[in-house]
Amino acid sequence: MGESPLIIICVRYFIEPSMTIGMANEVILLDYWPSPFAARVRIALAEKGIEYECKEEDLANKSPLLMKMNPIHHKVPVLIHNGRPICESEIIIQYIDDVWKVESPLLPSDSYLKAKARFWTSFINTKVHESGRKVWMSKGVDQETGKEELIEWCKLLEVELGDKPYFGGENFGFVDIALVPFYNWFNFFKNFADFNMEAECPKLVKWGNRCMERESVSKSLPNSDQMYAAFLEFKKMLNM
């Protein structure tokens, strides 16, 4: 597959001068553009206005740098800050929020609300991700089961969202970043899996559309053509 336009977009963000006082800021992201987990980190970096270098990985031929920086799982994303690696998307986002405090807080300062945000992110990482994989990678009964599960999880997320514009209230934050890359893929599912979130969870669809209006989100997520290309690539890899 040729170079994705997304890679070019995600390279340039800028650190506020106040963030650079007393510390170097070499930031590298080991990335794979179809990955919803890597997309989370791109969004968080964009929200914070952090300049970084984006290194795209070929997961069929992983780079020595990825193998060195994530020797346990050999997975993206990996954030390398001044030569030190941070792995796992939710941990990376918390690190970004802790180190670059000046712009756009991603986690609430209140301890209870922070714990609540971490709970829902864990819910997304397990329930939403696993059911999404069934829709993405399965056929027949397994795919139908995945669709039913996704609707159930999305309805629970709708209850949590309530009438708030974002999961954190007025401010776009941690849970929104965790979920919106999957929402982007859910929209694609309707093209090949008859998955209609709008009919089942209209409030969540409005939330997703609101998130997509943010430049940090729209420029960090793959478009429909890129998602279709990734779908074909996955099918080829799995001999489907």
Side-chain angles (χ1 to χ4, degrees), residues 31-103:
D31 196 3
Y32 178 56
W33 66 265
S35 166
F37 298 102
R40 291 172 170 179
V41 180
R42 294 194 296 267
I43 294 169
L45 290 166
E47 283 288 321
K48 291 287 189 175
I50 299 169
E51 182 181 4
Y52 67 101
E53 180 182 357
C54 192
K55 290 184 180 290
E56 187 76 5
E57 286 289 331
D58 176 2
L59 298 189
N61 185 26
K62 298 176 182 179
S63 72
L65 182 61
L66 175 58
M67 304 293 277
K68 178 181 178 181
M69 292 296 169
N70 190 354
I72 304 299
H73 299 299
H74 305 157
K75 291 182 179 180
V76 296
V78 179
L79 189 78
I80 307 171
H81 183 207
N82 298 330
R84 299 185 298 180
I86 305 96
C87 304
E88 304 292 340
S89 62
E90 68 271 24
I91 295 172
I92 293 171
I93 294 169
Q94 291 177 66
Y95 177 86
I96 289 170
D97 202 40
D98 188 51
V99 172
W100 288 278
K101 298 178 181 294
V102 176
E103 292 294 329

Side-chain angles (χ1 to χ4, degrees), residues 50 113 120 235:
I50 299 169
L113 295 178
W120 284 108
K235 286 182 66 177

